[in-house]
Amino acid sequence: MNFPVSVGAPTLKFPGIDTESAVLDPTVPEQVPDISDQDAESLLRQFLKESSENATLTADSYESILRSYQRYYGLPETGLLSNETKRTLHAPKCGRVRRSAFVGTRWSKRSLTYSINSFPEGYDSLTLRLVLEMAFSSWSSVTQLDFSEVEPRQGDINIEFGGTIHRGGKRRSCHFNGPYVLAHATNPEYGEIHFSTDYFFTEIKSLHFFLETAVHEIGHALGLDHTNDFGSVMYPDGRGIFTKPQPIDVENIRQLYGIRNRYAFTVVPKLCSLSKIDAAFSDDHDNTFIFAGDFYYDALNPNSIGQPISTKWSGLPGTIEAAFWFAGRAYFFKEDLFWVFAGSQLVSGRARTISSGFPGLPNGLDAALVLKSDSVDNIYAFKGEQYWRYSVREKRVTEKGQMADIGLPTSHFDAALEAKDGVKIFNGRDVYRWNREETTQSGPKRWMQC
């Protein structure tokens, strides 16, 4: 994902973590890190050492520590070193810091300043300044807080960049606890945020992951703690999913600082009032879901009021671009990433790149669908005037061409799905029926009884 700053494109490279794993079958879980119980206990002890939240995991036995850790991360609390626990232990994360002598739950004022006291050597300071401004703005847009940058070491919140051992804004030195720490921050009103240059600004060409980390750490600096909800930007692991506060985060920050008046009321449109949709799919029980912006709808109810996407698929961002249902799982696509859900559980706890799960399919899809009527498992993907047919069995694109060649008259559409009465193509307020040879228009939303 890119956002408007003056830098180029791929994903970040994490030490010891293959973020571009060549897993070709999207139904197969990601590789499990090779971590023994001894390794796991050592990592847990490191996390316990500095972070006061993890310091609550002070049980004597290894099993008890594991259970507490699993509960903290929202994982099944087994007391055993499960694959998901290994992935979480090995994942880049926040190394939360709290200073008991300075602990507060919130700032006593609503206009806060911040200082950027250092920059990574050789990196464009203007770019980072713009990204940090974007991160602070994401919080001020939803609550009664205002932020402004001031001269180094003059701010309420002081920002530093450094390696494992680095300079603290109000202390001589500081260090990150553990080998996979992205950053850490202190509570109000101590005011420190430190980012690790061991992770960022080495081979970086995209700042998406840094933006998510900045939003997360600013949340701590404003008084928010970690949550084990996958649908929150305050989840402890860095997953590259959210670049702004999610509904649960908005609710929590407003409990501390109130509602900014111009955002006090959000009007959620009804299904039949939508001018366009983003994606749609039908599951094995013929439940059809429509997606538009940050909301999803029940397609069988024309008076359906949108519900926040994150309340059903925790960890999924809004404004998705394509979706389909396959083999009992929901697949969602946005820009260069895709998410897989088994029920409401995000498989592997994080998004993956389209290039690793569906080699040959482009980024930024307009729509996608799986034809249940096919005797083989083919995924049809659409973008602009082109289509791709991807074989799940062969794990490759087996056909590519112009949409006009398969009877699609439109050069672009917003969503597609196979319902009981055939394949539906959505273009703005218009709905078409497609039989893979020709298309007939069924009228604006007639199939939803609008």
Side-chain angles (χ1 to χ4, degrees), residues 142-173:
V142 297
T143 193
Q144 295 187 70
L145 289 173
D146 294 296
F147 303 97
S148 56
E149 184 182 354
V150 294
E151 294 296 316
R153 312 197 186 284
Q154 302 300 312
D156 298 309
I157 299 173
N158 284 271
I159 297 170
E160 302 279 354
F161 294 87
T164 303
I165 300 176
H166 53 275
R167 179 173 182 172
K170 297 181 180 179
R171 289 170 286 131
R172 290 184 178 180
S173 65

PDB file of all heavy atoms in Angstrom, residues 142-173:
ATOM      1  N   VAL A 142     -10.892  12.273  15.273  1.00  0.00           N
ATOM      2  CA  VAL A 142     -11.991  11.535  15.915  1.00  0.00           C
ATOM      3  C   VAL A 142     -12.209  11.916  17.372  1.00  0.00           C
ATOM      4  O   VAL A 142     -13.124  11.398  18.014  1.00  0.00           O
ATOM      5  CB  VAL A 142     -11.763  10.011  15.811  1.00  0.00           C
ATOM      6  CG1 VAL A 142     -11.769   9.565  14.360  1.00  0.00           C
ATOM      7  CG2 VAL A 142     -10.466   9.587  16.501  1.00  0.00           C
ATOM      8  N   THR A 143     -11.388  12.793  17.914  1.00  0.00           N
ATOM      9  CA  THR A 143     -11.576  13.191  19.311  1.00  0.00           C
ATOM     10  C   THR A 143     -11.084  14.624  19.508  1.00  0.00           C
ATOM     11  O   THR A 143     -10.483  15.218  18.610  1.00  0.00           O
ATOM     12  CB  THR A 143     -10.835  12.228  20.264  1.00  0.00           C
ATOM     13  OG1 THR A 143     -11.277  12.447  21.599  1.00  0.00           O
ATOM     14  CG2 THR A 143      -9.331  12.405  20.183  1.00  0.00           C
ATOM     15  N   GLN A 144     -11.335  15.178  20.683  1.00  0.00           N
ATOM     16  CA  GLN A 144     -11.028  16.586  20.934  1.00  0.00           C
ATOM     17  C   GLN A 144      -9.563  16.792  21.326  1.00  0.00           C
ATOM     18  O   GLN A 144      -9.253  17.195  22.449  1.00  0.00           O
ATOM     19  CB  GLN A 144     -11.946  17.129  22.031  1.00  0.00           C
ATOM     20  CG  GLN A 144     -13.413  17.167  21.642  1.00  0.00           C
ATOM     21  CD  GLN A 144     -14.260  17.851  22.681  1.00  0.00           C
ATOM     22  OE1 GLN A 144     -14.196  19.063  22.872  1.00  0.00           O
ATOM     23  NE2 GLN A 144     -15.060  17.061  23.383  1.00  0.00           N
ATOM     24  N   LEU A 145      -8.678  16.512  20.398  1.00  0.00           N
ATOM     25  CA  LEU A 145      -7.253  16.745  20.582  1.00  0.00           C
ATOM     26  C   LEU A 145      -6.703  17.456  19.351  1.00  0.00           C
ATOM     27  O   LEU A 145      -7.124  17.167  18.220  1.00  0.00           O
ATOM     28  CB  LEU A 145      -6.491  15.430  20.783  1.00  0.00           C
ATOM     29  CG  LEU A 145      -6.692  14.697  22.111  1.00  0.00           C
ATOM     30  CD1 LEU A 145      -6.009  13.336  22.067  1.00  0.00           C
ATOM     31  CD2 LEU A 145      -6.150  15.512  23.280  1.00  0.00           C
ATOM     32  N   ASP A 146      -5.775  18.373  19.567  1.00  0.00           N
ATOM     33  CA  ASP A 146      -5.092  19.055  18.474  1.00  0.00           C
ATOM     34  C   ASP A 146      -3.590  18.913  18.680  1.00  0.00           C
ATOM     35  O   ASP A 146      -3.100  18.968  19.813  1.00  0.00           O
ATOM     36  CB  ASP A 146      -5.476  20.534  18.434  1.00  0.00           C
ATOM     37  CG  ASP A 146      -6.944  20.732  18.095  1.00  0.00           C
ATOM     38  OD1 ASP A 146      -7.344  20.368  16.977  1.00  0.00           O
ATOM     39  OD2 ASP A 146      -7.691  21.230  18.965  1.00  0.00           O
ATOM     40  N   PHE A 147      -2.854  18.718  17.588  1.00  0.00           N
ATOM     41  CA  PHE A 147      -1.411  18.500  17.658  1.00  0.00           C
ATOM     42  C   PHE A 147      -0.683  19.494  16.758  1.00  0.00           C
ATOM     43  O   PHE A 147      -1.162  19.846  15.684  1.00  0.00           O
ATOM     44  CB  PHE A 147      -1.056  17.080  17.205  1.00  0.00           C
ATOM     45  CG  PHE A 147      -1.743  16.000  17.992  1.00  0.00           C
ATOM     46  CD1 PHE A 147      -2.895  15.409  17.506  1.00  0.00           C
ATOM     47  CD2 PHE A 147      -1.233  15.586  19.210  1.00  0.00           C
ATOM     48  CE1 PHE A 147      -3.534  14.407  18.217  1.00  0.00           C
ATOM     49  CE2 PHE A 147      -1.867  14.578  19.927  1.00  0.00           C
ATOM     50  CZ  PHE A 147      -3.020  13.993  19.437  1.00  0.00           C
ATOM     51  N   SER A 148       0.482  19.918  17.203  1.00  0.00           N
ATOM     52  CA  SER A 148       1.337  20.769  16.378  1.00  0.00           C
ATOM     53  C   SER A 148       2.786  20.429  16.670  1.00  0.00           C
ATOM     54  O   SER A 148       3.156  20.121  17.812  1.00  0.00           O
ATOM     55  CB  SER A 148       1.071  22.254  16.649  1.00  0.00           C
ATOM     56  OG  SER A 148       1.239  22.552  18.024  1.00  0.00           O
ATOM     57  N   GLU A 149       3.628  20.462  15.619  1.00  0.00           N
ATOM     58  CA  GLU A 149       5.043  20.160  15.788  1.00  0.00           C
ATOM     59  C   GLU A 149       5.791  21.408  16.239  1.00  0.00           C
ATOM     60  O   GLU A 149       5.519  22.517  15.757  1.00  0.00           O
ATOM     61  CB  GLU A 149       5.636  19.649  14.482  1.00  0.00           C
ATOM     62  CG  GLU A 149       7.094  19.225  14.638  1.00  0.00           C
ATOM     63  CD  GLU A 149       7.706  18.752  13.338  1.00  0.00           C
ATOM     64  OE1 GLU A 149       6.974  18.635  12.331  1.00  0.00           O
ATOM     65  OE2 GLU A 149       8.938  18.512  13.325  1.00  0.00           O
ATOM     66  N   VAL A 150       6.722  21.221  17.170  1.00  0.00           N
ATOM     67  CA  VAL A 150       7.556  22.318  17.662  1.00  0.00           C
ATOM     68  C   VAL A 150       9.020  21.915  17.550  1.00  0.00           C
ATOM     69  O   VAL A 150       9.353  20.833  17.079  1.00  0.00           O
ATOM     70  CB  VAL A 150       7.199  22.673  19.129  1.00  0.00           C
ATOM     71  CG1 VAL A 150       5.788  23.226  19.208  1.00  0.00           C
ATOM     72  CG2 VAL A 150       7.359  21.452  20.039  1.00  0.00           C
ATOM     73  N   GLU A 151       9.911  22.789  17.970  1.00  0.00           N
ATOM     74  CA  GLU A 151      11.348  22.550  17.881  1.00  0.00           C
ATOM     75  C   GLU A 151      11.764  21.302  18.674  1.00  0.00           C
ATOM     76  O   GLU A 151      11.091  20.915  19.638  1.00  0.00           O
ATOM     77  CB  GLU A 151      12.113  23.766  18.411  1.00  0.00           C
ATOM     78  CG  GLU A 151      11.944  25.021  17.565  1.00  0.00           C
ATOM     79  CD  GLU A 151      12.514  24.840  16.176  1.00  0.00           C
ATOM     80  OE1 GLU A 151      13.625  24.289  16.060  1.00  0.00           O
ATOM     81  OE2 GLU A 151      11.837  25.232  15.206  1.00  0.00           O
ATOM     82  N   PRO A 152      12.868  20.648  18.272  1.00  0.00           N
ATOM     83  CA  PRO A 152      13.341  19.462  18.996  1.00  0.00           C
ATOM     84  C   PRO A 152      13.435  19.679  20.501  1.00  0.00           C
ATOM     85  O   PRO A 152      13.854  20.731  20.951  1.00  0.00           O
ATOM     86  CB  PRO A 152      14.723  19.197  18.373  1.00  0.00           C
ATOM     87  CG  PRO A 152      14.597  19.733  16.977  1.00  0.00           C
ATOM     88  CD  PRO A 152      13.719  20.962  17.110  1.00  0.00           C
ATOM     89  N   ARG A 153      12.983  18.671  21.245  1.00  0.00           N
ATOM     90  CA  ARG A 153      13.035  18.607  22.711  1.00  0.00           C
ATOM     91  C   ARG A 153      12.174  19.664  23.396  1.00  0.00           C
ATOM     92  O   ARG A 153      12.320  19.899  24.584  1.00  0.00           O
ATOM     93  CB  ARG A 153      14.480  18.685  23.215  1.00  0.00           C
ATOM     94  CG  ARG A 153      15.376  17.714  22.452  1.00  0.00           C
ATOM     95  CD  ARG A 153      16.686  17.420  23.121  1.00  0.00           C
ATOM     96  NE  ARG A 153      17.471  16.609  22.210  1.00  0.00           N
ATOM     97  CZ  ARG A 153      17.276  15.311  21.974  1.00  0.00           C
ATOM     98  NH1 ARG A 153      16.321  14.686  22.613  1.00  0.00           N
ATOM     99  NH2 ARG A 153      18.015  14.660  21.100  1.00  0.00           N
ATOM    100  N   GLN A 154      11.251  20.249  22.654  1.00  0.00           N
ATOM    101  CA  GLN A 154      10.360  21.245  23.247  1.00  0.00           C
ATOM    102  C   GLN A 154       8.918  20.747  23.317  1.00  0.00           C
ATOM    103  O   GLN A 154       8.049  21.447  23.822  1.00  0.00           O
ATOM    104  CB  GLN A 154      10.398  22.547  22.423  1.00  0.00           C
ATOM    105  CG  GLN A 154      11.764  23.176  22.289  1.00  0.00           C
ATOM    106  CD  GLN A 154      12.361  23.549  23.628  1.00  0.00           C
ATOM    107  OE1 GLN A 154      11.690  24.165  24.467  1.00  0.00           O
ATOM    108  NE2 GLN A 154      13.611  23.167  23.854  1.00  0.00           N
ATOM    109  N   GLY A 155       8.654  19.569  22.812  1.00  0.00           N
ATOM    110  CA  GLY A 155       7.285  19.098  22.717  1.00  0.00           C
ATOM    111  C   GLY A 155       6.780  18.368  23.950  1.00  0.00           C
ATOM    112  O   GLY A 155       7.564  17.900  24.785  1.00  0.00           O
ATOM    113  N   ASP A 156       5.469  18.265  24.058  1.00  0.00           N
ATOM    114  CA  ASP A 156       4.870  17.416  25.101  1.00  0.00           C
ATOM    115  C   ASP A 156       5.208  15.962  24.825  1.00  0.00           C
ATOM    116  O   ASP A 156       5.441  15.182  25.756  1.00  0.00           O
ATOM    117  CB  ASP A 156       3.346  17.597  25.104  1.00  0.00           C
ATOM    118  CG  ASP A 156       2.908  18.999  25.418  1.00  0.00           C
ATOM    119  OD1 ASP A 156       3.376  19.544  26.438  1.00  0.00           O
ATOM    120  OD2 ASP A 156       2.102  19.568  24.649  1.00  0.00           O
ATOM    121  N   ILE A 157       5.224  15.579  23.542  1.00  0.00           N
ATOM    122  CA  ILE A 157       5.574  14.225  23.129  1.00  0.00           C
ATOM    123  C   ILE A 157       6.860  14.301  22.325  1.00  0.00           C
ATOM    124  O   ILE A 157       6.946  15.048  21.343  1.00  0.00           O
ATOM    125  CB  ILE A 157       4.448  13.610  22.279  1.00  0.00           C
ATOM    126  CG1 ILE A 157       3.159  13.517  23.092  1.00  0.00           C
ATOM    127  CG2 ILE A 157       4.860  12.231  21.757  1.00  0.00           C
ATOM    128  CD1 ILE A 157       1.941  13.081  22.291  1.00  0.00           C
ATOM    129  N   ASN A 158       7.876  13.576  22.743  1.00  0.00           N
ATOM    130  CA  ASN A 158       9.182  13.590  22.086  1.00  0.00           C
ATOM    131  C   ASN A 158       9.400  12.291  21.314  1.00  0.00           C
ATOM    132  O   ASN A 158       9.239  11.197  21.860  1.00  0.00           O
ATOM    133  CB  ASN A 158      10.289  13.780  23.118  1.00  0.00           C
ATOM    134  CG  ASN A 158      10.369  15.214  23.599  1.00  0.00           C
ATOM    135  OD1 ASN A 158      11.071  16.033  23.024  1.00  0.00           O
ATOM    136  ND2 ASN A 158       9.615  15.526  24.658  1.00  0.00           N
ATOM    137  N   ILE A 159       9.787  12.421  20.052  1.00  0.00           N
ATOM    138  CA  ILE A 159       9.940  11.273  19.163  1.00  0.00           C
ATOM    139  C   ILE A 159      11.414  11.064  18.843  1.00  0.00           C
ATOM    140  O   ILE A 159      12.126  12.012  18.495  1.00  0.00           O
ATOM    141  CB  ILE A 159       9.139  11.499  17.866  1.00  0.00           C
ATOM    142  CG1 ILE A 159       7.640  11.612  18.193  1.00  0.00           C
ATOM    143  CG2 ILE A 159       9.385  10.372  16.857  1.00  0.00           C
ATOM    144  CD1 ILE A 159       6.793  12.065  17.035  1.00  0.00           C
ATOM    145  N   GLU A 160      11.868   9.815  18.983  1.00  0.00           N
ATOM    146  CA  GLU A 160      13.269   9.463  18.725  1.00  0.00           C
ATOM    147  C   GLU A 160      13.331   8.270  17.773  1.00  0.00           C
ATOM    148  O   GLU A 160      12.430   7.420  17.762  1.00  0.00           O
ATOM    149  CB  GLU A 160      13.986   9.078  20.033  1.00  0.00           C
ATOM    150  CG  GLU A 160      13.989  10.151  21.106  1.00  0.00           C
ATOM    151  CD  GLU A 160      15.073  11.199  20.889  1.00  0.00           C
ATOM    152  OE1 GLU A 160      15.883  11.011  19.956  1.00  0.00           O
ATOM    153  OE2 GLU A 160      15.095  12.184  21.650  1.00  0.00           O
ATOM    154  N   PHE A 161      14.414   8.177  16.997  1.00  0.00           N
ATOM    155  CA  PHE A 161      14.716   7.025  16.165  1.00  0.00           C
ATOM    156  C   PHE A 161      16.076   6.484  16.584  1.00  0.00           C
ATOM    157  O   PHE A 161      17.020   7.256  16.778  1.00  0.00           O
ATOM    158  CB  PHE A 161      14.758   7.411  14.684  1.00  0.00           C
ATOM    159  CG  PHE A 161      13.431   7.858  14.122  1.00  0.00           C
ATOM    160  CD1 PHE A 161      13.039   9.179  14.215  1.00  0.00           C
ATOM    161  CD2 PHE A 161      12.584   6.950  13.521  1.00  0.00           C
ATOM    162  CE1 PHE A 161      11.820   9.600  13.697  1.00  0.00           C
ATOM    163  CE2 PHE A 161      11.361   7.352  13.004  1.00  0.00           C
ATOM    164  CZ  PHE A 161      10.983   8.682  13.093  1.00  0.00           C
ATOM    165  N   GLY A 162      16.180   5.156  16.712  1.00  0.00           N
ATOM    166  CA  GLY A 162      17.464   4.599  17.105  1.00  0.00           C
ATOM    167  C   GLY A 162      17.476   3.095  17.074  1.00  0.00           C
ATOM    168  O   GLY A 162      16.447   2.449  16.821  1.00  0.00           O
ATOM    169  N   GLY A 163      18.633   2.513  17.330  1.00  0.00           N
ATOM    170  CA  GLY A 163      18.798   1.068  17.339  1.00  0.00           C
ATOM    171  C   GLY A 163      18.380   0.455  18.650  1.00  0.00           C
ATOM    172  O   GLY A 163      17.660   1.071  19.446  1.00  0.00           O
ATOM    173  N   THR A 164      18.852  -0.756  18.927  1.00  0.00           N
ATOM    174  CA  THR A 164      18.457  -1.471  20.142  1.00  0.00           C
ATOM    175  C   THR A 164      18.702  -0.629  21.379  1.00  0.00           C
ATOM    176  O   THR A 164      17.854  -0.502  22.260  1.00  0.00           O
ATOM    177  CB  THR A 164      19.225  -2.804  20.247  1.00  0.00           C
ATOM    178  OG1 THR A 164      18.967  -3.575  19.068  1.00  0.00           O
ATOM    179  CG2 THR A 164      18.795  -3.577  21.481  1.00  0.00           C
ATOM    180  N   ILE A 165      19.879  -0.015  21.459  1.00  0.00           N
ATOM    181  CA  ILE A 165      20.177   0.956  22.512  1.00  0.00           C
ATOM    182  C   ILE A 165      20.140   2.335  21.875  1.00  0.00           C
ATOM    183  O   ILE A 165      20.832   2.584  20.887  1.00  0.00           O
ATOM    184  CB  ILE A 165      21.547   0.689  23.156  1.00  0.00           C
ATOM    185  CG1 ILE A 165      21.563  -0.721  23.780  1.00  0.00           C
ATOM    186  CG2 ILE A 165      21.859   1.752  24.204  1.00  0.00           C
ATOM    187  CD1 ILE A 165      22.906  -1.114  24.347  1.00  0.00           C
ATOM    188  N   HIS A 166      19.323   3.214  22.399  1.00  0.00           N
ATOM    189  CA  HIS A 166      19.118   4.503  21.754  1.00  0.00           C
ATOM    190  C   HIS A 166      18.913   5.580  22.817  1.00  0.00           C
ATOM    191  O   HIS A 166      18.732   5.297  24.000  1.00  0.00           O
ATOM    192  CB  HIS A 166      17.897   4.446  20.825  1.00  0.00           C
ATOM    193  CG  HIS A 166      16.661   3.934  21.504  1.00  0.00           C
ATOM    194  ND1 HIS A 166      16.399   2.595  21.619  1.00  0.00           N
ATOM    195  CD2 HIS A 166      15.639   4.568  22.114  1.00  0.00           C
ATOM    196  CE1 HIS A 166      15.265   2.420  22.277  1.00  0.00           C
ATOM    197  NE2 HIS A 166      14.771   3.609  22.596  1.00  0.00           N
ATOM    198  N   ARG A 167      18.921   6.808  22.374  1.00  0.00           N
ATOM    199  CA  ARG A 167      18.730   7.930  23.276  1.00  0.00           C
ATOM    200  C   ARG A 167      17.259   8.098  23.604  1.00  0.00           C
ATOM    201  O   ARG A 167      16.399   8.016  22.732  1.00  0.00           O
ATOM    202  CB  ARG A 167      19.253   9.208  22.633  1.00  0.00           C
ATOM    203  CG  ARG A 167      19.063  10.447  23.510  1.00  0.00           C
ATOM    204  CD  ARG A 167      19.736  11.643  22.904  1.00  0.00           C
ATOM    205  NE  ARG A 167      19.596  12.821  23.765  1.00  0.00           N
ATOM    206  CZ  ARG A 167      20.210  13.969  23.563  1.00  0.00           C
ATOM    207  NH1 ARG A 167      21.028  14.098  22.527  1.00  0.00           N
ATOM    208  NH2 ARG A 167      20.036  14.989  24.371  1.00  0.00           N
ATOM    209  N   GLY A 168      16.967   8.336  24.873  1.00  0.00           N
ATOM    210  CA  GLY A 168      15.607   8.633  25.295  1.00  0.00           C
ATOM    211  C   GLY A 168      15.395  10.129  25.330  1.00  0.00           C
ATOM    212  O   GLY A 168      16.331  10.898  25.562  1.00  0.00           O
ATOM    213  N   GLY A 169      14.161  10.563  25.070  1.00  0.00           N
ATOM    214  CA  GLY A 169      13.904  11.994  25.025  1.00  0.00           C
ATOM    215  C   GLY A 169      14.159  12.697  26.344  1.00  0.00           C
ATOM    216  O   GLY A 169      14.639  13.817  26.370  1.00  0.00           O
ATOM    217  N   LYS A 170      13.859  12.040  27.465  1.00  0.00           N
ATOM    218  CA  LYS A 170      14.043  12.662  28.769  1.00  0.00           C
ATOM    219  C   LYS A 170      14.982  11.833  29.640  1.00  0.00           C
ATOM    220  O   LYS A 170      15.092  12.056  30.837  1.00  0.00           O
ATOM    221  CB  LYS A 170      12.691  12.831  29.458  1.00  0.00           C
ATOM    222  CG  LYS A 170      11.755  13.769  28.686  1.00  0.00           C
ATOM    223  CD  LYS A 170      10.427  13.957  29.385  1.00  0.00           C
ATOM    224  CE  LYS A 170       9.520  14.882  28.587  1.00  0.00           C
ATOM    225  NZ  LYS A 170       8.202  15.077  29.225  1.00  0.00           N
ATOM    226  N   ARG A 171      15.655  10.870  29.007  1.00  0.00           N
ATOM    227  CA  ARG A 171      16.627  10.051  29.723  1.00  0.00           C
ATOM    228  C   ARG A 171      17.881   9.915  28.878  1.00  0.00           C
ATOM    229  O   ARG A 171      17.843  10.128  27.679  1.00  0.00           O
ATOM    230  CB  ARG A 171      16.035   8.666  30.020  1.00  0.00           C
ATOM    231  CG  ARG A 171      14.947   8.706  31.070  1.00  0.00           C
ATOM    232  CD  ARG A 171      14.215   7.364  31.166  1.00  0.00           C
ATOM    233  NE  ARG A 171      13.338   7.172  30.020  1.00  0.00           N
ATOM    234  CZ  ARG A 171      13.306   6.086  29.293  1.00  0.00           C
ATOM    235  NH1 ARG A 171      14.135   5.096  29.557  1.00  0.00           N
ATOM    236  NH2 ARG A 171      12.482   5.966  28.273  1.00  0.00           N
ATOM    237  N   ARG A 172      18.984   9.518  29.479  1.00  0.00           N
ATOM    238  CA  ARG A 172      20.245   9.427  28.745  1.00  0.00           C
ATOM    239  C   ARG A 172      20.239   8.301  27.727  1.00  0.00           C
ATOM    240  O   ARG A 172      20.775   8.440  26.648  1.00  0.00           O
ATOM    241  CB  ARG A 172      21.400   9.247  29.740  1.00  0.00           C
ATOM    242  CG  ARG A 172      21.674  10.499  30.573  1.00  0.00           C
ATOM    243  CD  ARG A 172      22.894  10.281  31.450  1.00  0.00           C
ATOM    244  NE  ARG A 172      23.207  11.480  32.225  1.00  0.00           N
ATOM    245  CZ  ARG A 172      24.221  11.558  33.080  1.00  0.00           C
ATOM    246  NH1 ARG A 172      25.010  10.506  33.274  1.00  0.00           N
ATOM    247  NH2 ARG A 172      24.420  12.666  33.755  1.00  0.00           N
ATOM    248  N   SER A 173      19.673   7.152  28.093  1.00  0.00           N
ATOM    249  CA  SER A 173      19.658   6.027  27.163  1.00  0.00           C
ATOM    250  C   SER A 173      18.413   5.179  27.400  1.00  0.00           C
ATOM    251  O   SER A 173      17.768   5.264  28.436  1.00  0.00           O
ATOM    252  CB  SER A 173      20.914   5.160  27.317  1.00  0.00           C
ATOM    253  OG  SER A 173      20.937   4.545  28.584  1.00  0.00           O
TER     254      SER A 173
END
